Amino acid sequence: GQNIDQPTEMTATEGAIVQINCTYQTSGFNGLFWYQQHAGEAPTFLSYNVLDGLEEKGRFSSFLSRSKGYSYLLLKELQMKDSASYLCAVREGQAGTALIFGKGTTLSVSS
Amino acid sequence: EAGVTQFPSHSVIEKGQTVTLRCDPISGHDNLYWYRRVMGKEIKFLLHFVKESKQDESGMPNNRFLAERTGGTYSTLKVQPAELEDSGVYFCASSRFVATNEKLFFGSGTQLSVL
């Protein structure tokens, strides 16, 4: 079956670094996405990984290990505005097929 | 460029009533998706349009749900008759191209409450 696990909640302080983990068990794999969603707003795309390794984009980085079914999102130099839900999603099938989402991790950043 | 817009943002209806949700994708985006998040659960796929054609409707829960995209522009999702378990946030998303790294642009969702 399909299963994507993420921690439900995390807390951190401004300026710190936080790592949000995601493990997945899916029947196929054709890429892993991270989305950010502020309360009441639209989820917005953060990153995409399909090959093993680290993808860096400014303060945010995403890592993938396909053999371990594992990804993490790394947020550096945390800011208050980073308080949001972070959604891990996997595409099992070919392009255009459904994304399978985890329940999301709510990150609270305090001063 | 305007983003994906959804209307209404909130809807409260009674069990048995009908509700129609609307989604306007980003102009030029042929791909339109509907997803739903029931409280406490993950976001789940409902269906995928390519222009006006239903490419994949495997996620539609039952025949009380009807999605249309006449003319390949905006889409509607009708729930008739609504049941309590239909409550949740309905998201629409669009993309220009189908690709493995396809980035979906989501709307803010419609919060549906069935009482």
Side-chain angles (χ1 to χ4, degrees):
Chain A
Q2 308 160 339
N3 194 39
I4 298 183
D5 285 319
Q6 311 176 229
T8 303
E9 294 180 337
M10 298 184 72
T11 59
T13 53
E14 267 189 309
I17 298 173
V18 72
Q19 178 174 311
I20 303 174
N21 295 325
C22 170
T23 58
Y24 63 90
Q25 289 178 302
T26 54
S27 57
F29 180 82
N30 200 11
L32 186 144
F33 297 78
W34 284 95
Y35 281 84
Q36 179 192 58
Q37 185 183 17
H38 287 99
E41 298 184 8
T44 55
F45 172 85
L46 287 178
S47 68
Y48 168 77
N49 294 70
V50 68
L51 300 176
D52 290 352
L54 187 69
E55 294 277 345
E56 297 186 76
K57 194 185 294 184
R59 293 190 299 115
F60 292 6
S61 303
S62 57
F63 172 83
L64 175 68
S65 168
R66 289 172 296 171
S67 62
K68 295 181 179 176
Y70 167 68
S71 173
Y72 66 73
L73 181 69
L74 192 72
L75 292 76
K76 302 176 187 175
E77 301 168 19
L78 280 173
Q79 302 174 12
M80 298 289 283
K81 67 178 182 178
D82 297 329
S83 293
S85 179
Y86 291 85
L87 304 166
C88 174
V90 169
R91 173 165 284 131
E92 276 189 319
Q94 60 188 352
T97 56
L99 291 181
I100 306 194
F101 282 86
K103 290 185 180 180
T105 299
T106 300
L107 174 66
S108 300
V109 180
S110 59
S111 56
Chain B
E1 178 183 76
V4 177
T5 57
Q6 294 188 243
F7 182 84
S9 57
H10 294 81
S11 180
V12 181
I13 61 172
E14 293 188 353
K15 176 183 170 181
Q17 290 186 320
T18 298
V19 64
T20 300
L21 314 180
R22 174 172 169 142
C23 169
D24 286 77
I26 294 172
S27 177
H29 282 197
D30 287 343
N31 296 281
L32 188 149
Y33 300 82
W34 284 98
Y35 282 83
R36 174 175 77 168
R37 183 169 198 163
V38 171
M39 192 167 66
K41 304 265 185 149
E42 66 277 16
I43 296 173
K44 282 195 171 179
F45 169 81
L46 295 177
L47 88 159
H48 171 207
F49 282 101
V50 177
K51 296 185 180 179
E52 66 276 6
S53 299
K54 290 177 185 174
Q55 187 74 14
D56 180 358
E57 52 184 330
S58 61
M60 295 288 264
N62 51 61
N63 59 11
R64 294 185 294 103
F65 289 75
L66 176 64
E68 294 180 321
R69 193 182 182 197
T70 308
T73 54
Y74 71 90
S75 175
T76 58
L77 180 64
K78 182 192 287 188
V79 185
Q80 178 181 32
E83 298 290 343
L84 299 179
E85 65 264 25
D86 301 332
S87 296
V89 182
Y90 289 76
F91 291 102
C92 175
S94 72
S95 68
R96 186 179 297 277
F97 302 113
V98 168
T100 53
N101 61 345
E102 174 188 20
K103 181 167 70 174
L104 297 185
F105 293 84
F106 282 84
S108 299
T110 294
Q111 172 78 58
L112 175 64
S113 299
V114 182
L115 307 179

